[in-house]
């Protein structure tokens, strides 16, 4: 907050808001609205305005990326072993049979904005991991800025949104090449940038990794195969008008591999792409930087 006197009250409001988002959108709690769709067997199901909005954001992301960011990857995530909150996922488990098959596809999800219903094909599981956290940061930042009358930065697991008047020089944000647990001090190569509005998001394969039968797996799934994406990038960070758009672009860039730099440049999005060997490439609009390393 630009006015720290509002910090405690706004954090309390944020926690209440995130509890509602979790109840609507979580793939890991059996009482969530999203999980209840699993048993709909292809029928239209009434949902809350909150979930309807979250699904609309996910489908927009799918359309904008040509299906690279697809919310119908839920079953593929489960098959890879990411079937519970990541803190509970077994880090080194038994071998899995990994079948290569495309996910059902976002075009089969039907939203009825008039009647407030959603329809998905029987057997399809949705996962909003690529968009819901960033969308939640956007809506929370706007809500808290309006409530407090000051500038606000909301960061949810690294998905960062700002709203209201920025501090002098902008909001300074550390962009980490290799991320660890949120409760641990950040270490390793990084850079620092400042933003005045919109959002910043990083997608990567280093933080959420696990093994099955000696095979390394991660959480960014290629909808064309249902398997972890093969990508040359360790992380991709994007700045955009909203955090949801930034995270959509950073996730799609991971999937687009070598073509990502040209794609982001064509979109005019400031971005920072870090290859597996630590090589950094940036697009126009990303500030020049010198390599930094944590002590």
């Amino acid at each position: 907050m630009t006015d720290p006197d509002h910090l405690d009250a706004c954090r309390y409001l944020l926690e209440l808001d995130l509890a509602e988002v979790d109840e609507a959108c979580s793939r890991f709690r059996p009482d969530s609205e999203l999980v209840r769709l699993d048993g709909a067997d292809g029928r239209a199901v009434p949902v809350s305005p909150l979930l309807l909005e979250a699904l609309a954001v996910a489908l927009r992301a799918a359309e904008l990326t040509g299906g690279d960011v697809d919310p119908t990857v839920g079953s593929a995530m489960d098959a890879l072993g990411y079937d519970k909150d990541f803190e509970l996922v077994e880090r080194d488990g038994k071998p899995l049979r990994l079948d290569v098959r495309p996910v059902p596809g976002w075009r089969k999800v039907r939203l009825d904005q008039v009647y407030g219903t959603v329809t998905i094909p029987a057997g399809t599981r949705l996962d909003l991991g690529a968009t819901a956290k960033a969308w939640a940061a956007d809506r929370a930042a706007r809500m808290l800025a309006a409530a407090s009358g000051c500038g606000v930065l909301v960061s949810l697991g690294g998905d960062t949104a700002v709203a209201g008047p920025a501090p002098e020089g902008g909001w300074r944000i550390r962009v980490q090449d290799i991320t660890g647990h949120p409760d641990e001090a950040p270490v390793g190569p990084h850079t620092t940038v400042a933003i005045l509005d919109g959002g910043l998001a990083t997608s990567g394969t280093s933080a959420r990794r696990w093994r099955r039968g000696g095979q390394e797996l991660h959480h960014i799934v290629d909808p064309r195969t249902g398997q972890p994406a093969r990508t040359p990038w360790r992380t991709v960070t994007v700045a955009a008008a909203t955090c949801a758009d930034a995270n959509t672009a950073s996730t799609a860039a991971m999937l687009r591999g070598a073509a990502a730099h040209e794609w982001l440049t064509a979109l005019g999005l400031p971005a920072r792409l870090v290859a597996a060997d630590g090589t950094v490439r940036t697009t126009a609009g990303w500030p020049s930087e010198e390599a930094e390393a944590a002590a």
Side-chain angles (χ1 to χ4, degrees):
M1 315 289 297
T2 55
D3 183 347
D5 288 344
H6 292 290
L7 180 60
D8 289 343
C10 282
R11 183 180 177 88
Y12 174 74
L13 291 175
L14 175 61
E15 290 173 347
L16 293 178
D17 188 62
L18 293 180
E20 293 182 359
V21 170
D22 191 59
E23 188 174 356
C25 302
S26 175
R27 183 167 63 91
F28 305 125
R29 48 184 292 178
D31 62 340
S32 77
E33 285 191 85
L34 190 73
V35 169
R36 286 201 293 270
L37 293 175
D38 296 344
D41 200 26
R43 298 185 301 272
V45 177
V47 298
S48 68
L50 195 62
L51 181 57
L52 198 68
E53 182 181 346
L55 290 170
V57 170
L59 295 181
R60 176 178 178 272
E63 183 175 12
L64 290 175
T65 61
D68 284 339
V69 180
D70 191 312
T72 66
V73 297
S75 293
M77 289 284 200
D78 289 350
L80 294 171
Y82 191 6
D83 56 355
K84 56 182 70 69
D85 188 279
F86 191 70
E87 294 294 327
L88 304 175
V89 171
E90 187 179 6
R91 295 299 191 269
D92 196 349
K94 297 178 180 179
L96 294 174
R97 176 180 175 177
L98 302 179
D99 295 324
V100 176
R101 64 180 66 178
V103 303
W106 65 276
R107 295 183 185 277
K108 295 181 180 179
V109 180
R110 296 285 182 264
L111 300 187
D112 189 322
Q113 299 283 2
V114 175
Y115 292 99
T117 63
V118 58
T119 307
I120 61 175
T124 299
R125 296 203 70 192
L126 299 180
D127 175 81
L128 303 182
T131 54
K133 184 155 55 75
W135 159 76
D138 284 326
R139 67 189 299 274
R142 290 192 299 266
M143 178 265 290
L144 296 175
S148 66
C150 67
V152 178
L153 179 148
V154 174
S155 181
L156 304 178
D159 288 348
T160 302
V162 301
E168 184 177 356
W171 296 98
R172 291 179 58 79
I173 300 171
R174 176 179 172 129
V175 177
Q176 195 73 28
D177 290 0
I178 301 175
T179 56
H181 193 279
D183 293 335
E184 298 173 354
V187 296
H190 66 278
T191 190
T192 302
V193 295
I195 62 173
L196 296 173
D197 52 29
L200 188 77
T202 299
S203 296
T205 60
S206 60
R208 296 186 183 182
R209 298 187 73 91
W210 63 99
R211 297 167 65 90
R212 291 294 181 269
Q215 183 173 359
E216 289 278 350
L217 304 172
H218 61 77
H219 74 294
I220 299 180
V221 169
D222 186 338
R224 288 166 286 273
T225 65
Q227 302 297 305
R230 296 184 177 182
T231 177
W233 309 116
R234 188 164 71 196
T235 60
V236 177
T237 303
V238 177
T242 66
C243 187
D245 282 352
N247 203 34
T248 294
S250 64
T251 303
M254 295 291 293
L255 288 155
R256 292 187 178 221
H261 186 272
E262 182 179 356
W263 178 68
L264 291 166
T265 298
L267 291 174
L269 292 175
R272 180 178 190 265
L273 303 91
V274 182
D277 64 359
T279 303
V280 176
R281 296 189 69 187
T282 61
T283 62
W286 190 271
S288 60
E289 60 182 68
E290 296 181 359
E292 301 179 56

